[in-house]
Amino acid sequence: MANDSGRAKAAGDKRGGKRIVATNRKARHNYSIIELFEAGVALQGTEVKSLREGHASLADAFALVEDGEVWLHNLHIPEYQHGSWTNHEPRRKRKLLLHRRQIDTLIGKIRDGNLALVPLSLYFSEGKVKVELALARGKRAYDKRQDLARRDANREVVRELGRRAKGLT
């Protein structure tokens, strides 16, 4: 156990693994995903401690590009229970850490099309907090209905194939 670091153990991470803290389950329903990005998040100490306890919500979160920097808005990280006067504000805007080239491509794609930056998940990767961002286009109601119908049809096909394999039909 000499090569195990106490820091990785405390984070609950395995080497190279990722531990998901929060996901945005409605994002894939409301948006069609075009491209995925992984970004670091600039956080305060009590925010990281609260995330290590598994507390966070991406329900209303979105990202914007402001003055050449990418900011994550409405990510809710509740105050750390054992914190003192140094506790953080739960819904403050947080800076996302991306390479300049990635930010420039995001700016170009957002300006060209009617696209949004939507966070899909928040997780620990090698002890660092990361967010999976999606460059996405909003779906209309009929697109959502078509996706539901397609998923139901696929489910029915799989169910029927299972029945035939068992010899029930």
Side-chain angles (χ1 to χ4, degrees):
M1 291 246 221
N3 38 345
D4 282 346
S5 71
R7 181 177 249 176
K9 259 188 189 175
D13 282 347
K14 298 177 184 115
R15 293 257 181 229
K18 65 183 198 180
R19 189 184 69 160
I20 296 176
V21 178
T23 57
N24 189 350
R25 297 177 63 199
K26 294 292 278 181
R28 293 190 190 273
H29 178 71
N30 292 333
Y31 297 93
S32 56
I33 309 303
I34 296 170
E35 194 173 348
L36 293 175
F37 295 92
E38 181 183 61
V41 186
L43 298 172
Q44 296 175 354
T46 54
E47 291 174 321
V48 176
K49 290 180 178 184
S50 185
L51 286 175
R52 288 201 194 284
E53 290 180 344
H55 303 300
S57 174
L58 285 170
D60 301 325
F62 61 96
L64 291 176
V65 179
E66 300 170 359
D67 298 329
E69 296 178 334
V70 183
W71 294 87
L72 187 61
H73 295 265
N74 278 349
L75 167 64
H76 184 264
I77 301 175
E79 290 185 351
Y80 182 56
Q81 290 177 344
H82 306 296
S84 60
W85 58 273
T86 59
N87 245 336
H88 62 277
E89 187 180 323
R91 285 202 185 265
R92 73 178 186 92
K93 71 179 190 176
R94 294 161 177 95
K95 186 176 180 178
L96 296 181
L97 308 172
L98 289 162
H99 293 285
R100 171 57 48 198
R101 202 172 288 139
Q102 289 176 319
I103 294 173
D104 292 340
T105 58
L106 282 175
I107 290 171
K109 289 180 179 182
I110 289 173
R111 189 181 312 130
D112 290 345
N114 191 11
L115 302 176
L117 278 174
V118 181
L120 297 179
S121 64
L122 185 71
Y123 55 91
F124 282 98
S125 176
E126 298 178 4
K128 294 176 177 57
V129 179
K130 304 283 185 178
V131 65
E132 185 178 35
L133 274 181
L135 191 62
R137 178 172 284 119
K139 286 184 185 176
R140 295 196 171 85
Y142 60 85
D143 291 335
K144 294 177 191 178
R145 285 193 298 270
Q146 286 175 352
D147 283 349
L148 286 173
R150 190 177 310 118
R151 190 171 31 198
D152 288 343
N154 286 341
R155 190 178 300 133
E156 196 61 39
V157 166
V158 168
R159 190 176 296 145
E160 188 61 33
L161 288 174
R163 284 186 193 138
R164 286 187 183 180
K166 293 177 185 174
L168 296 176
T169 306

